[in-house]
Amino acid sequence: MLTLPPVIGHRGACAHAPENTLLSFARAADLGCAMVEFDVRLSADGVPIVFHDDTLDRCTDGRGPVGTRTLAELKRLDAGCGQTIPTLAEVLALCAARGLAVNMELKPDRGAGAATARAALEVAAGLWSGVPPLVSSFDHDALGVAREVMPAWPRSLLVERLPAQWPDLVRRFGCVAVAAYHRGLSAAQVAALNAAGLTVLAYTVNRPGRARRLWNRGVTAVFCDAPERLL
Ligand code: G3P
Ligand code: MG
């Protein structure tokens, strides 16, 4: 089974710093986090960047779609507290320097799953030398390409609710883990996943009591916006 710390900083420590920024990942490390999660998508010129939404409005002073802007255009925006939208390369460098393990979530624009996975894995493979990143996605094209390009790197199937066909999906993408929305995840489902040899992760859990119940149920790791609350 995959070895993971019980708490993974969600988008860094996004309760304390603008999400998915270098400041947020540094903050997660300062708080004692051993692992962080972040979201990877592509700029218009094909550079993997770390940003959650497909539009700029919520997290920057810009407006409109992210994927139609070049990296140079994106870098002119304020992502909060004077931070810029980081490239995947910048985030991986910081994580390596701070000893943070990573869960790289591929978060492609519609139809860009394969291209996003190819570009992200190429950058990551060129930079990362420690424990391989856990690669996850809701996007099946992205998971398929991740398997093709870096077969040895662990993959996690991301779902909101566990679909009935999870055994097929896990087999198709060679996943070693499944990550699900914590409210939809029953004890019976966790037991079935564990019995199939899969590591189970749950998002996003910010209350210690809830995290404890999930850990006791067989969930290995939870994603948390304020990791110090659970550590
Ligand atoms: O990877 C877990 C979690 O990050 C998935 O949902 O929307 O926060 O990327 P979201
Ligand atoms: Mg995510």
Side-chain angles (χ1 to χ4, degrees):
M1 274 233 232
L2 188 65
T3 309
L4 293 175
V7 181
I8 300 174
H10 188 228
R11 309 178 196 172
C14 70
H16 302 297
E19 66 179 50
N20 281 328
T21 62
L22 295 181
L23 192 62
S24 189
F25 301 114
R27 195 69 205 276
D30 292 343
L31 292 168
C33 241
M35 184 167 186
V36 290
E37 181 266 0
F38 53 79
D39 308 287
V40 182
R41 55 177 56 253
L42 293 182
S43 65
D45 47 344
V47 181
I49 55 165
V50 173
F51 198 77
H52 182 275
D53 297 359
D54 56 9
T55 59
L56 294 162
D57 304 50
R58 183 177 64 87
C59 293
T60 73
D61 56 355
R63 289 251 181 283
V66 178
T68 57
R69 313 293 169 93
T70 63
L71 179 64
E73 288 168 335
L74 293 170
K75 277 291 185 189
R76 286 198 278 274
L77 302 173
D78 185 351
C81 299
Q83 294 288 295
T84 60
I85 296 174
T87 62
L88 172 61
E90 289 169 334
V91 171
L92 290 176
L94 182 141
C95 291
R98 298 296 306 262
L100 287 165
V102 307
N103 175 193
M104 184 164 81
E105 181 189 339
L106 304 170
K107 187 77 108 184
D109 279 338
R110 192 181 294 273
T116 304
R118 243 175 245 294
L121 287 162
E122 188 184 324
V123 166
L127 283 176
W128 198 255
S129 59
V131 176
L134 176 62
V135 179
S136 64
S137 194
F138 290 103
D139 187 287
H140 293 178
D141 291 341
L143 282 177
V145 168
R147 178 176 204 175
E148 198 183 296
V149 176
M150 293 302 281
W153 283 11
R155 283 170 298 284
S156 172
L157 176 72
L158 256 174
V159 294
E160 191 169 333
R161 285 188 170 268
L162 194 66
Q165 75 277 26
W166 66 261
D168 294 339
L169 295 172
V170 158
R171 210 173 306 118
R172 190 187 328 158
F173 302 123
C175 292
V176 294
V178 171
Y181 178 51
H182 75 102
R183 284 195 208 287
L185 196 56
S186 71
Q189 288 172 333
V190 175
L193 290 164
N194 282 337
L198 294 160
T199 298
V200 182
L201 301 87
Y203 66 88
T204 303
V205 182
N206 289 325
R207 287 185 298 113
R210 179 66 183 152
R212 204 171 305 116
R213 276 196 297 282
L214 289 163
W215 289 324
N216 288 339
R217 199 178 269 187
V219 170
T220 295
V222 298
F223 299 92
C224 183
D225 298 331
E228 79 288 355
R229 284 192 211 152
L230 307 188
L231 283 166

